[in-house]
Amino acid sequence: MNFRFPDKKPKQENGFAVRGGSYSILITAVVLALLIAVNVLVSVLPSGMTRLDISAANLYSVTSQTKSVVNNLDQDVTIYWIVQANQEDSVIENLLSKYESLSEHLTVVKKNPDTYPTFTAEYTDETVANNSLIVESGDKSRYIAYSSIYLTEADYTTYSYSYSFDGEGAITSAIGYVTSEELPKIYTLSGHGESDLPSSFSSQLTRENYETESFSLLNEDTIPEDAAAILIYAPTSDISDKEAELLLEYVNNGGKLLVFAGPVQDSELNNLYSLLSSYGVERAEGITVEGDRDHYAFQSPYILLPEIESSDITDPLISGNYNVLVPLAQGLIVAEDASNAAALLTTSDSSYSKAAGYSMETYEKEEGDTDGSFTVGVSVTNSTGGSMIWYGSSLMLEDEYNSYSSGANLDLAMNSLSSLVGETESVSIRSKSLSYNYLTISDSTASVLKVIMIGVLPAAFLIFGICVIIVRRQRNYEEK
């Protein structure tokens, strides 16, 4: 048997193969060199230019408010990052790098407590945990505890906890504090059984750099001169004639007043509400109840979901599609000729005020009840620049209702205060949820969703399954 071996390739063809291989190696080397150069270049760029935030809560982004505050810094600010080696929180690290990239006036300095064991004692007496921060400018400073960055709130109604990240809000607020010469001072009226400010409201006042101080008009003849605004929160008894005169004179001379006052059991707030009467706003007797299921929540007609009217105060809530919860509200009636009064929150035409108040035995409309609609949030102004913002509920800022509104109630209060004080650029940055937010919906919407989820969808799947079985059996029968 003869075997034939293939002829050898020509030398020219071998040369082409060698050159082709050399070109491939050269191109590969060039590409690798370019990749190495690009990686080296990217590694020296600020992280804000090389990282995209695709997290659901936007943990790795900063808001326009922060950019405005930091970009406009005209004095040096130092953020001391208190952390041991290899214990750095990656989210905080990324956030601090973004702050540092926004202004030449801001510097982040890492302080290892093992190396500088007494450093934090200059700023706080608290035990400082890893990844806590100290913001300093000149002779002013603010300590930000790690527990103030990662927030944990207990929900006793569901026996669970909610978690959120408030790093940006805390840092930007601290920067505003240390760079401000004067902070607006809010005086809270006392002496009438007023409730303590809810914890979330009190914390937000501090975070947005308002100073608060309690005072009583029972032993004072004038409103403090340094008052940026007066806050009256949830009184359970009426003010005196003299106090009403002082407060009205204060507003008429350009003062600012923010009131949260709902119906009171076994008492009337006639003198307090007389402040509104001067501006063409009267109160309806009793407690406001909604007859429209689209305008109340939790199957409780006294927990109102009012219409939010457009204004500088409410537009941020409207654009964010938020709902405000107003429980146990005092209905207000704005006269048609009250040109200085503007409604912020209104009930539906199906609402009415139960004259029996806390003694009501039914939510149904009865003889003697007042027909709506009503205003449950109103803003009034005068020619001197004085103004009042009034909400007819003492409970709407309680932590429970604020939580159910996904923070909209608190946002409304802070927007109102900013409008009164004139702090249009005040810092109002929401914490970023690490768990969930409540979806606030009307009672009628909840009923429709129940019918769809429990009835319509299961029935649709059942009918679809029956149809599939019938079609298959018909097909098998025809094939036979």
Side-chain angles (χ1 to χ4, degrees):
M1 181 179 295
N2 296 324
F3 294 95
R4 180 179 176 141
F5 296 94
D7 296 334
K8 295 183 178 179
K9 294 182 179 180
K11 291 183 178 180
Q12 184 177 4
E13 186 174 343
N14 289 337
F16 285 147
V18 171
R19 284 197 296 271
S22 300
Y23 290 147
S24 297
I25 294 172
L26 179 60
I27 292 173
T28 301
V30 171
V31 170
L32 288 174
L34 287 173
L35 289 175
I36 293 172
V38 169
N39 274 279
V40 171
L41 176 63
V42 169
S43 66
V44 299
L45 290 175
S47 60
M49 300 175 61
T50 60
R51 297 179 183 178
L52 296 178
D53 186 1
I54 59 174
S55 62
N58 293 323
L59 284 176
Y60 304 99
S61 304
V62 293
T63 62
S64 58
Q65 294 101 313
T66 289
K67 292 177 182 178
S68 175
V69 170
V70 180
N71 286 335
N72 292 322
L73 284 176
D74 56 4
Q75 61 189 83
D76 292 338
V77 174
T78 302
I79 301 178
Y80 294 107
W81 184 12
I82 314 302
V83 63
Q84 293 172 306
N86 302 319
Q87 298 295 320
E88 294 87 351
D89 182 286
S90 60
V91 178
I92 295 176
E93 181 177 22
N94 177 76
L95 181 62
L96 291 176
S97 69
K98 288 187 179 297
Y99 273 89
E100 197 167 26
S101 67
L102 291 174
S103 174
E104 296 180 352
H105 287 287
L106 192 147
T107 305
V108 176
V109 177
K110 190 182 296 186
K111 287 289 186 179
N112 188 329
D114 295 333
T115 307
Y116 303 94
T118 63
F119 176 76
T120 59
E122 302 176 24
Y123 302 93
T124 179
D125 296 330
E126 298 182 33
T127 300
V128 178
N130 268 326
N131 292 292
S132 297
L133 305 171
I134 296 171
V135 180
E136 181 183 52
S137 181
D139 58 355
K140 298 181 68 175
S141 65
R142 175 175 285 182
Y143 166 62
I144 305 174
Y146 181 73
S147 58
S148 297
I149 298 174
Y150 285 94
L151 305 178
T152 302
E153 296 183 6
D155 185 345
Y156 297 105
T157 61
T158 59
Y159 299 100
S160 62
Y161 292 90
S162 61
Y163 305 93
S164 59
F165 179 78
D166 195 31
E168 182 187 358
I171 295 172
T172 302
S173 172
I175 292 173
Y177 171 76
V178 300
T179 57
S180 298
E181 294 183 2
E182 294 184 6
L183 301 178
K185 196 166 187 177
I186 310 301
Y187 282 88
T188 60
L189 189 66
S190 64
H192 314 91
E194 290 86 355
S195 298
D196 292 334
L197 298 182
S199 60
S200 57
F201 186 30
S202 180
S203 298
Q204 191 69 16
L205 288 171
T206 300
R207 196 175 82 162
E208 296 194 18
N209 298 323
Y210 291 104
E211 291 185 357
T212 59
E213 183 176 330
S214 177
F215 86 112
S216 173
L217 282 174
L218 297 175
N219 50 18
E220 297 285 346
D221 295 328
T222 59
I223 305 293
E225 293 184 358
D226 60 343
I230 302 298
L231 171 62
I232 301 177
Y233 184 77
T236 56
S237 62
D238 201 9
I239 62 177
S240 66
D241 294 340
K242 179 63 175 177
E243 289 174 298
E245 292 176 7
L246 288 173
L247 288 171
L248 185 58
E249 181 183 2
Y250 167 70
V251 174
N252 289 340
N253 291 330
K256 317 292 183 179
L257 187 63
L258 178 61
V259 180
F260 294 87
V264 178
Q265 193 168 9
D266 302 325
S267 182
E268 296 289 341
L269 304 179
N270 296 323
N271 287 334
L272 179 62
Y273 274 89
S274 70
L275 301 177
L276 283 176
S277 300
S278 304
Y279 292 88
V281 181
E282 301 291 341
R283 65 186 175 98
E285 295 294 331
I287 295 175
T288 303
V289 171
E290 261 294 354
D292 184 351
R293 296 180 67 189
D294 285 331
H295 288 85
Y296 65 84
F298 309 125
Q299 300 181 349
S300 301
Y302 62 88
I303 302 179
L304 310 179
L305 278 174
E307 291 289 337
I308 304 177
E309 306 297 334
S310 179
S311 70
D312 291 340
I313 296 170
T314 56
D315 283 346
L317 301 180
I318 295 174
S319 63
N321 294 318
Y322 286 104
N323 286 314
V324 173
L325 284 175
V326 184
L328 288 171
Q330 181 80 66
L332 304 174
I333 303 171
V334 181
E336 293 183 1
D337 59 350
S339 58
N340 291 335
L344 301 176
L345 305 174
T346 57
T347 63
S348 75
D349 292 335
S350 300
S351 63
Y352 42 89
S353 186
K354 298 288 295 180
Y358 282 93
S359 300
M360 75 174 82
E361 296 180 354
T362 176
Y363 295 135
E364 299 297 326
K365 187 176 182 298
E366 299 176 299
E367 185 178 353
D369 295 341
T370 306
D371 289 325
S373 65
F374 301 104
T375 296
V376 290
V378 66
S379 172
V380 298
T381 57
N382 59 40
S383 59
T384 66
S387 58
M388 291 187 290
I389 297 179
W390 201 294
Y391 295 101
S393 173
S394 298
L395 300 175
M396 61 184 293
L397 292 185
E398 293 299 312
D399 293 339
E400 177 183 9
Y401 291 109
N402 182 59
S403 178
Y404 286 145
S405 70
S406 296
N409 284 15
L410 180 57
D411 285 350
L412 179 64
M414 298 310 301
N415 291 350
S416 301
L417 192 56
S418 296
S419 175
L420 289 172
V421 175
E423 296 289 332
T424 56
E425 300 297 327
S426 65
V427 178
S428 181
I429 301 172
R430 279 174 164 261
S431 59
K432 299 171 182 179
S433 176
L434 300 177
S435 50
Y436 60 86
N437 283 325
Y438 286 103
L439 176 62
T440 307
I441 58 177
S442 66
D443 192 60
S444 61
T445 303
S447 299
V448 171
L449 290 176
K450 287 179 183 178
V451 171
I452 293 174
M453 301 300 293
I454 298 175
V456 176
L457 290 181
F461 279 109
L462 178 61
I463 294 172
F464 177 76
I466 293 173
C467 292
V468 170
I469 293 173
I470 293 174
V471 170
R472 287 180 177 176
R473 287 186 176 181
Q474 183 67 25
R475 187 182 301 164
N476 292 336
Y477 176 78
E478 291 176 353
E479 289 177 353
K480 292 180 179 179

